[in-house]
Amino acid sequence: MTGGASGIGAAVCERLATDGVRVFLADLDEVAGAGIAARIDAVHLTLDVGDVARVRAAVERHGPFDILVNSAGVDQHALFVQTDPDDWHRLLQVNLVAVLATTHAVLPAMREAGYGRIVNIASEAGRLGSHGAAVYAAAKGGVLAFTRSIARENARKGITVNAVAPGPIDTPMLRRAVAAGGERLMAAMTGATLAGRLGTPDEVAAAVAFLASADAGYITGETLGVSGGMGCGA
Ligand code: NAD
């Protein structure tokens, strides 16, 4: 589980632990990660998931894993013309390259075991695009295409690979964006959903827990929107 120290990732950790899964939590935030891990009796590792070599070493040391959930993510709110290549690199490294790194590290053991569940937290931005978050949307769109590709390559090995595409979810990431963008941004985000409200991290965690379960064995290569209908028709 990456990004399990906050928001959606923390809710997924709690939900999986409640469902009886033994959780290994990797996150950059040492203090929050250790706090969640203590609460749910998980193993916690302070790790930058954008560091491909360290991801591989962590999986070699702590694996094998039968479930991988990629939730670590960073966003940025600026018009594309206002961004620079350092921004692009950081956004792509955490939101896309880290998903490649964790998947590449866990897949050989899953293939050997003939079982695996991979769930990637993407975003409706990856399907619809996003005004003010073009590079983030590009990374998430990449995650969606990667998810379908890895599903194709591993379906006959008992491994399912799916994505969840959240809409606006009430997490620290969203609250930071609203603090910068103000009430107009909040109104735009809730107005873009059919439900007219923010989602909760627990609502995303419920979808992840289902896709990560043995029950979801005949579902692969899918993108499940948890977005109050925002992605309806996408
Ligand atoms: P959050 O900021 O609350 O949590 C993100 C977590 O990722 C944090 O614990 C952070 O420490 C960790 N992280 C960031 N960079 C990392 C790195 N390099 N290595 C390891 N850990 C790192 O955000 P959230 O809202 O819970 O977002 C979770 C996921 O959901 C992200 O992938 C995000 O893009 C996606 N998402 C969120 C929303 C939303 O509205 N909140 C909408 C769509 C998609």
Side-chain angles (χ1 to χ4, degrees):
M1 171 81 223
T2 76
S6 174
I8 291 168
V12 172
C13 283
E14 304 237 10
R15 173 62 194 256
L16 291 179
T18 302
D19 291 353
V21 174
R22 204 166 158 266
V23 176
F24 176 81
L25 183 172
D27 198 291
L28 208 49
D29 187 332
E30 183 169 5
V31 175
I36 302 275
R39 216 164 50 233
I40 63 169
D41 199 19
V43 178
H44 165 248
L45 180 70
T46 304
L47 178 70
D48 177 355
V49 292
D51 184 335
V52 176
R54 283 206 64 212
V55 167
R56 175 157 299 284
V59 171
E60 276 168 11
R61 171 131 192 256
H62 298 278
F65 300 105
D66 53 5
I67 300 171
L68 167 66
V69 179
N70 282 299
S71 187
V74 287
D75 67 352
Q76 181 190 32
H77 293 272
L79 292 179
F80 181 61
V81 290
Q82 298 164 335
T83 65
D84 64 37
D86 284 345
D87 298 326
W88 309 345
H89 180 76
R90 184 177 57 87
L91 288 161
L92 290 171
Q93 199 68 20
V94 180
N95 293 312
L96 178 57
V97 175
V99 177
L100 314 189
T102 55
T103 305
H104 197 260
V106 303
L107 262 179
M110 286 183 175
R111 287 171 65 90
E112 205 176 308
Y115 183 88
R117 295 280 180 270
I118 299 177
V119 184
N120 295 321
I121 310 297
S123 172
E124 289 292 9
R127 296 204 273 199
L128 304 171
S130 175
H131 181 112
V135 182
Y136 174 83
K140 294 297 190 178
V143 169
L144 295 179
F146 178 67
T147 298
R148 288 191 290 270
S149 304
I150 301 305
R152 287 178 187 278
E153 290 184 6
N154 295 280
R156 296 190 182 206
K157 295 283 184 188
I159 301 167
T160 68
V161 191
N162 292 288
V164 168
I169 308 296
D170 190 7
T171 69
M173 179 187 277
L174 180 132
R175 277 177 239 139
R176 284 190 297 271
V178 168
E183 281 311 309
R184 268 183 55 194
L185 179 63
M186 176 68 102
M189 285 193 292
T190 54
T193 70
L194 302 186
R197 67 168 176 86
L198 299 181
T200 68
D202 286 346
E203 288 173 318
V204 183
V208 174
F210 170 62
L211 292 171
S213 73
D215 285 345
Y218 202 47
I219 302 172
T220 196
E222 298 288 351
T223 299
L224 177 56
V226 183
S227 56
M230 186 183 205
C232 179

